[in-house]
Structures are given as C-alpha cells and as structure tokens.
Amino acid sequence: MFFGWLTDTEYKAKNSKSKANLMTEAGDFDNNAPNLMVYRFSDIEVATNRFSFENKLGEGGYGPVYKGVLSDGREIAVKKLSKTSTQGFEEFKNEVMLTAKLQHVNLVRVLGFCIEREEHMLVYEFMPNKSLDYYLYDPMKRYMLDWEKRVEIIEGVTQGLLYLQEYSRLKIIHRDLKASNILLDEEMKPKISDFGMARIFSKDEVEANTHRIVGTYGYVPPEYVKKGLYSIKSDVYSFGVLLLQIISGRKTACLYGVHENLSLLEFAYGLWIQEKGMEFMDPTLDDTNSSCTLLKCKQIALLCVQENANDRPTMLEVSSMLRNETTPMANPKRPAFSKRTDENDELTRSNLKPEICSIDDSPISEVVGR
C-alpha cells in the first residue's frame, strides 16, 4: 500500500516519528495550555461501542464522528481520520496543537487524542445539540431558533473569531468557517470547531499565500480562490456568508430569483438595493423587540462579503456594528463572484422572488484556483 509518494514501510516510519513528535510537543505546552489526554484505542472503542452506527454523529472531510461515553460517565465526541480522507496527519497534528493552546467559551475544546493501530483520532467535549446547519435548513427545526437565539449565536461566533484574531496569544485564521462547523452546547450556545485547516499568523502579519487551497464552496473568498491569498479578511468573508444564512435560512449552493440564476450573495444584494431587504429573511423570525435587527445584520453581512478584502470590516468593527457602537454603516458594494457590474442591469430590474431549490451545500476539501 502507498500513502502519497511513500512506501508502506516509509509511511510507518514517518508515522512513528510524527507520533513521537506530537507526544513530545503535547507535553511541552506551557502552563496556560490545558492538559491533553492521550487515550488508548481500546478505551475509545469501548466508549463508542466499537464505533457503532448508532453512535455515529456525522461525517466530514476529515472522517466520521462518533459519540462516546467514557468509563467515568463523561460524554465525548470522537473524530476518526478516514483512510480515504484528503486530510492527513498534518491536519490532525495542526488541530491538536492549535486547539490545545486556545481556550475560549466559543471554541470547541479538544480533550485529547489517540494514535494507535494506525488510527488517528481526536477526542472533543461532546456538543449535545449538533451543528447549526442541522436547524437552519430544516422546515420544522428552524422554529427552535427564534431571533433572540440566533442573535446569541451570531454574537457567540463573533466573539470566538475576535478571540482568534485579536485576543489570543496566537493570531489564527480558521479557513473553514461554515454552519456545519458551528456546534451548539446544551444551552444552544455556539462553539467554533474543526481547526484542521487553520493557520497561525504573527501579530504583525497581514496575509499569506498557499498553493493548496482548501475550504468549502460558497464560503471561500475570491482572493483565496484566484490567488491563494488568505488573511483575517478571509474569515470575515466566511462570517458574512454564515450571517446571511442565519438570517435567511437559505443555503449557499442554491440558485435564487425568478430565473434561478442568482447566487445567495447576489440575491441578497439585489433585494437590498431594491430596498426589499425583508423579503430575503426567514419569515419565521420576529426582530420587533431586538436592538439587533434583521436589516442591520444583512447590511453587516453584505459588507463582509464584498469583492475587495480591503473593503470588508474587521471583526472588531463587526462587533461594534452589532452592538450599536459605531456611526452609520457604509453602503455595501457588490458581493464577490457577482456576474453583473452595471447597477441598472437585470439584477436590479428583475423580480427577485425566490424559487424553491433542493440543492445541498457542498463541502469540498480542495478547490482549484482559476
């Protein structure tokens, strides 16, 4: 068997060395980092009932995730690297090392890991209410998220990103922020998860370049797709897309409009410039008694998804806008990936009534730059 360009023998040797390095680095965390447990495969196997289908919580690009119960009664979530996954040991190690050093109420906590029998597993705190997308797109479950609850989720995600970008010892770019990576605890409070694709910036670093472009279609900004450039504004863009989904309950992969040829961003912007912004919103929501209105959130979202990264606000500015701590907000320019540039074209003239669409959001492990 081959792993990339390595023979089976070479891969085992590399894996053994990587395991030793990870164990060493995990033990070298400073006093501000939580203690990471090194779990035995046999204990996780028992906790998950041999990774039974009944305990399976879902599956992503990394691999399947299982619920488990340890011998002391603690509930855990186990993410198991799939042999067919496009992600590998480097992403596994990246997530262990990063999340072990990050502590915030709006970030999912990694409890430990297991490297045994050629298995690579991450052990997390268990989040009983699944992920945000589980509720947003379901015709019945969406009622469980009233506007007050959605505002709490928006504020929680904002605080989590603020911590990553401004207040942690490390400056972190997540690079895969999306609804399925926002997990909800027993009180429906949000926690950002999945840091396998995340990257560390120095505090004075502005942007970086990569030749391997990863993420999820619909959440990835244009400068990343076209040039491989990423920065804190990459996560701002993803946050803007997420915010549009939270206020509308709509999916990124659907096409909207009478002719079903508008992306979510174009559809939202078209209604905005026609001053029909409320037609975009989830009709189940009532923001009457909230200082954080649906229209304000839509304007903030559209500012976050503008084509030029320099035009997008920082998360500090987003937080200020959400909390009414700023002067009147700017008018958003056309969103990224817009096919139209003329303000008097069909996008503004046509009837933008949405059509029913059944396409699912499509997570991908790698997108190819144009």
Side-chain angles (χ1 to χ4, degrees):
M1 183 186 75
F2 286 82
F3 185 85
W5 61 89
L6 301 178
T7 66
D8 196 36
T9 301
E10 289 171 332
Y11 170 63
K12 288 180 179 178
K14 181 178 185 293
N15 182 60
S16 177
K17 183 179 179 180
S18 297
K19 175 181 175 180
N21 289 343
L22 180 59
M23 302 283 275
T24 300
E25 291 177 36
D28 287 341
F29 289 149
D30 61 31
N31 294 330
N32 293 321
N35 293 322
L36 281 178
M37 286 288 297
V38 180
Y39 290 90
R40 294 183 301 181
F41 179 88
S42 58
D43 291 337
I44 294 180
E45 190 176 39
V46 170
T48 59
N49 191 21
R50 295 182 178 272
F51 306 100
S52 66
F53 179 78
E54 291 75 16
N55 280 6
K56 188 173 180 179
L57 298 173
E59 186 159 1
Y62 182 96
V65 181
Y66 298 89
K67 179 182 178 181
V69 181
L70 297 174
S71 57
D72 60 5
R74 282 185 300 161
E75 294 182 317
I76 57 173
V78 179
K79 187 158 71 169
K80 192 170 182 281
L81 178 62
S82 169
K83 290 181 173 59
T84 60
S85 173
T86 56
Q87 299 182 40
F89 188 84
E90 287 306 312
E91 287 83 2
F92 171 85
K93 178 180 174 181
N94 191 55
E95 183 154 10
V96 171
M97 303 304 292
L98 276 181
T99 51
K101 294 181 180 181
L102 300 171
Q103 294 189 76
H104 190 272
V105 66
N106 294 117
L107 303 182
V108 171
R109 187 161 60 98
V110 172
L111 304 177
F113 58 90
C114 173
I115 307 174
E116 193 177 328
R117 302 185 190 181
E118 296 188 355
E119 297 281 1
H120 300 83
M121 292 178 282
L122 292 166
V123 180
Y124 295 88
E125 61 177 323
F126 178 66
M127 302 292 283
N129 283 312
K130 302 186 179 182
S131 57
L132 180 58
D133 62 329
Y134 178 75
Y135 301 90
L136 283 182
Y137 313 130
D138 187 280
M140 297 305 297
K141 293 184 178 66
R142 68 198 311 165
Y143 286 95
M144 298 175 66
L145 298 179
D146 59 17
W147 182 234
E148 181 180 1
K149 183 57 64 180
R150 295 194 200 198
V151 169
E152 290 180 3
I153 291 171
I154 292 167
E155 290 177 345
V157 174
T158 300
Q159 292 305 309
L161 286 175
L162 264 179
Y163 171 77
L164 293 175
Q165 295 183 5
E166 302 289 342
Y167 302 134
S168 71
R169 294 184 299 112
L170 307 170
K171 185 177 180 181
I172 306 297
I173 314 299
H174 187 281
R175 298 204 304 170
D176 199 21
L177 186 72
K178 56 184 177 181
S180 60
N181 281 340
I182 306 301
L183 304 185
L184 303 170
D185 68 11
E186 63 278 358
E187 298 178 349
M188 299 293 282
K189 295 186 184 302
K191 297 195 178 191
I192 301 171
S193 70
D194 199 343
F195 285 79
M197 301 298 178
R199 289 295 178 266
I200 299 175
F201 268 24
S202 61
K203 287 298 182 180
D204 58 351
E205 195 172 3
V206 177
E207 66 180 14
N209 184 274
T210 181
H211 297 293
R212 180 174 179 247
I213 303 175
V214 297
T216 300
Y217 181 78
Y219 292 89
V220 182
E223 69 275 11
Y224 190 43
V225 172
K226 298 173 183 177
K227 300 178 182 178
L229 296 174
Y230 62 93
S231 67
I232 60 172
K233 295 299 185 72
S234 303
D235 282 353
V236 170
Y237 179 91
S238 301
F239 174 82
V241 176
L242 178 64
L243 187 48
L244 288 175
Q245 293 179 302
I246 291 173
I247 63 178
S248 69
R250 302 178 192 275
K251 300 179 180 181
T252 58
C254 291
L255 295 176
Y256 300 94
V258 171
H259 304 296
E260 295 187 23
N261 63 349
L262 300 178
S263 69
L264 178 71
L265 276 63
E266 288 179 300
F267 181 58
Y269 182 78
L271 289 172
W272 175 264
I273 59 179
Q274 286 193 18
E275 298 184 351
K276 298 179 180 178
M278 290 304 295
E279 293 184 18
F280 178 76
M281 311 305 182
D282 184 336
T284 69
L285 300 178
D286 180 6
D287 65 352
T288 305
N289 298 316
S290 175
S291 60
C292 185
T293 66
L294 284 158
L295 286 175
K296 179 201 287 187
C297 285
K298 184 177 182 183
Q299 187 172 357
I300 293 171
L302 289 172
L303 288 171
C304 290
V305 298
Q306 293 177 105
E307 177 83 22
N308 191 325
N310 292 328
D311 291 333
R312 300 172 205 152
T314 64
M315 288 309 300
L316 275 173
E317 291 169 330
V318 167
S319 179
S320 179
M321 287 186 281
L322 287 170
R323 295 173 179 272
N324 294 311
E325 297 172 356
T326 186
T327 55
M329 293 182 286
N331 289 318
K333 300 176 183 177
R334 282 191 176 276
F337 303 112
S338 177
K339 297 185 290 290
R340 302 172 177 82
T341 57
D342 182 357
E343 293 295 335
N344 296 314
D345 63 15
E346 181 187 359
L347 183 59
T348 59
R349 295 196 311 269
S350 63
N351 180 354
L352 292 166
K353 182 179 178 181
E355 298 295 321
I356 296 175
C357 182
S358 60
I359 303 173
D360 293 331
D361 284 315
S362 303
I364 55 177
S365 58
E366 184 168 347
V367 291
V368 180
R370 299 174 188 173

